Structure formats: structure tokens, C-alpha cells
Amino acid sequence: MRRAVTVVVTTSAVLAGGFSASQARAATPPAPSITAPGGFVMNNGTGATLFGKAADTRRPTGSTTKIMTAKVVLAQRGLNLDAKVTIDKAYSDYIVSKNASSARLIVGDKVTVRQLLYGLMLPSGCDAAYALADKFGTGTTRAARVKSFIGKMNDEARRMGLRNTHFDSFDGISNGSNYSTPRDLTKIASSAMQNGTFRAIVKTRSTTQKVTTKSGGYRNMAWTNTNKLLSTYSGAIGVKTGSGQQAKYCLVFAATRNNKTVIGTVLAAPSEANRTSDVKKLLDYGFAK
């Protein structure tokens, strides 16, 4: 009788064990299908890869380049975020000549470095990017300073061991050799997110900043974040959109739920709607894994 009971208990245990394993297999979500030709997602806390699609294929990055622009600025030794930068006509002329996205900076205004970073990351201001490159590059001419700043961007990419990343501009308007990969951009963003100022900026949906005018008065600059994910995905905390004729639609994204942060990148999505759909799929998948 004892032997029969033992057999029954053992068999039950095996059945229970088999059922639990089946449940575990069923709980693993299937890898998502995305329209973007390149994508990558990782656990920001552990660095573990959660998803990859052509993750190491070099592609144009559009304005996601500005993540590195901000990262280089914030890494400057002795940085004073309240230092004021006078807006030069060259920055305005650049926007017009390139038909570029703008923070609508006014020539002669004095704008703090912190405000320029908001203008860089929220409305994706190429004028703000130019002003920062001019301010934090070294050299006796504007061209030399800009070249120096872009050199700092590439130096940082090399320091991080990113072999598939190269910058030829401060804003992503490429001269033919501005590229990165989903994996590399995700690593750049993950590193940038370690900075509290960067985190505060990229999670901001909109802001109004008071800047000093040429005459010594003040004007309010209102900027709205191009990253609509912040208002459409629960837990979204950043990071940066990008778009362009060659880059198509890009987004470096991050979200936190239940103390888990998922961070990733999609490159070259065929439309803004596709980009949004792809990113939400990847985030859902990242949190489910």
C-alpha cells in the first residue's frame, strides 16, 4: 500500500513539473515583427540583449545624432549649464540653407547652455546644435570649432568601442559619412541616460524657457518634444526622434515599468506610423521577456 502511494505521488510530481515547464514555455512571448529594417532592444539595467534585427548594420541616423551632441556637451570638464551663448546669424542662416528643424533661436539673444540642450533635444533644433558645437569646439574660427566638436563626438564613439558609428555633423544632416547602428545608438543613449540633466531633458514633453534678448529684455521660448511616445506609451522616459530623406524614420526610445528600464532603437522605418508601431511592439516585448 505504501509503495502504491509513493508511485502515485511521484507520478503527480512529474505531471506537475511537466505542466509548470509548459506554462513557462507558453509565457515566453514570440519575437515581434517590425517594419523597420533595423532594430535593437536591451535591458538597460543588465545590458542584456532582448531583441535584434540587423542590429549591427550601418545606417543614416538623422537627428538621433543629437544624442551624442548632448552627451559630448554634458561631458565637458567644468561645464556651467547656466553660461550664456549669444545666438549668431550663422546659426539662423544654416537652418534656412538646410531647411532644417529649428528651435527658432533669435539672432542676438543670449541663451544658456541648459536651454540650448532643451532646444536641441525637444524641437530637435539644428540651430541649437550648431550653437553648442561652436561653443564647445576649439579653434580660432567657427569652422575649426565645429570640426573640433565633431571630432570629440567621434573620439567618444571610439572610447565607447563603437566600431560601426561615425559622425560628420553635429545634427545628423550628413555630408555622406554620418552613420551608426541600432546597437551602437542604444549604447550611446544608455550611457547618456546616466547623466541626470540629460534624463530630465529627454523626458520633458514641453517647456517654456525665458531667454535674454539682445536689448537686455526677455522673451519666452516654447518648445514641444518631437517624441510623441512620451504621451502615448506608459512609462516612456525618452529619448530622441530622427528623420530624413535617407534616414527615413528613426527613434531611440526608453521606458521604465516596475523598476525595469528597456532601451532601444529603430532605424529607417518607412513612416512615422510604422515607427511608432514598431517601437511599441519592441517595448512590450522587452517588458514581457
Side-chain angles (χ1 to χ4, degrees):
M1 186 65 177
R2 286 187 199 136
R3 185 178 179 186
V5 170
T6 302
V7 170
V8 170
V9 171
T10 303
T11 303
S12 298
V14 171
L15 287 172
F19 181 71
S20 296
S22 175
Q23 277 187 318
R25 284 193 297 271
T28 303
S33 174
I34 61 172
T35 58
F40 181 77
V41 180
M42 75 177 191
N43 182 319
N44 194 52
T46 65
T49 296
L50 303 175
F51 173 90
K53 176 183 178 182
D56 299 307
T57 299
R58 297 175 178 180
R59 300 184 190 278
T61 59
S63 285
T64 61
T65 297
K66 291 166 182 163
I67 298 170
M68 183 62 97
T69 306
K71 188 178 186 325
V72 168
V73 169
L74 289 166
Q76 297 301 301
R77 185 173 298 176
L79 177 66
N80 178 7
L81 287 167
D82 296 318
K84 292 184 178 181
V85 177
T86 301
I87 303 305
D88 196 279
K89 185 174 181 293
Y91 314 153
S92 178
D93 290 345
Y94 175 79
I95 293 297
V96 174
S97 68
K98 299 293 186 180
N99 191 27
S101 55
S102 171
R104 305 182 307 282
L105 300 175
I106 307 298
V107 175
D109 281 3
K110 292 179 172 57
V111 184
T112 68
V113 172
R114 189 192 310 273
Q115 289 169 336
L116 285 173
L117 288 168
Y118 274 96
L120 174 77
M121 299 304 286
L122 271 66
S124 200
C126 295
D127 45 357
Y130 197 167
L132 289 166
D134 192 9
K135 167 72 175 175
F136 292 102
T138 56
T140 57
T141 66
R142 183 176 295 109
R145 291 190 292 274
V146 167
K147 183 178 180 180
S148 164
F149 185 85
I150 296 169
K152 291 181 181 183
M153 294 169 69
N154 286 312
D155 287 345
E156 180 62 12
R158 282 190 291 271
R159 188 194 67 77
M160 293 180 68
L162 308 179
R163 298 181 180 180
N164 291 310
T165 294
H166 183 268
F167 302 105
D168 67 7
S169 73
F170 46 73
D171 57 3
I173 298 179
S174 178
N175 295 306
S177 57
N178 202 94
Y179 57 79
S180 189
T181 69
R183 189 191 307 272
D184 280 7
L185 276 173
T186 301
K187 288 182 177 180
I188 293 168
S190 178
S191 177
M193 290 289 272
Q194 294 176 27
N195 182 283
T197 300
F198 184 89
R199 287 197 308 274
I201 291 170
V202 298
K203 73 177 182 181
T204 301
R205 297 185 191 182
S206 63
T207 185
T208 299
Q209 300 282 333
K210 182 184 285 188
V211 304
T212 306
T213 65
K214 186 176 182 178
S215 62
Y218 295 94
R219 80 170 87 248
N220 288 321
M221 303 297 291
W223 294 316
T224 300
N225 204 319
T226 58
N227 183 7
K228 297 175 184 176
L229 196 72
L230 293 171
S231 56
T232 61
Y233 192 87
S234 176
I237 56 172
V239 176
K240 184 72 186 75
T241 60
S243 61
Q245 189 170 3
Q246 288 186 314
K248 305 260 177 90
Y249 291 88
C250 312
L251 182 60
V252 181
F253 55 89
T256 299
R257 289 181 180 176
N258 298 319
N259 296 317
K260 177 181 180 180
T261 298
V262 173
I263 190 165
T265 301
V266 293
L267 293 180
S271 71
E272 187 175 351
N274 285 133
R275 177 180 69 185
T276 300
S277 175
D278 286 349
V279 168
K280 288 181 177 180
K281 285 180 186 178
L282 292 178
L283 282 169
D284 287 346
Y285 179 72
F287 284 121
K289 280 206 76 173

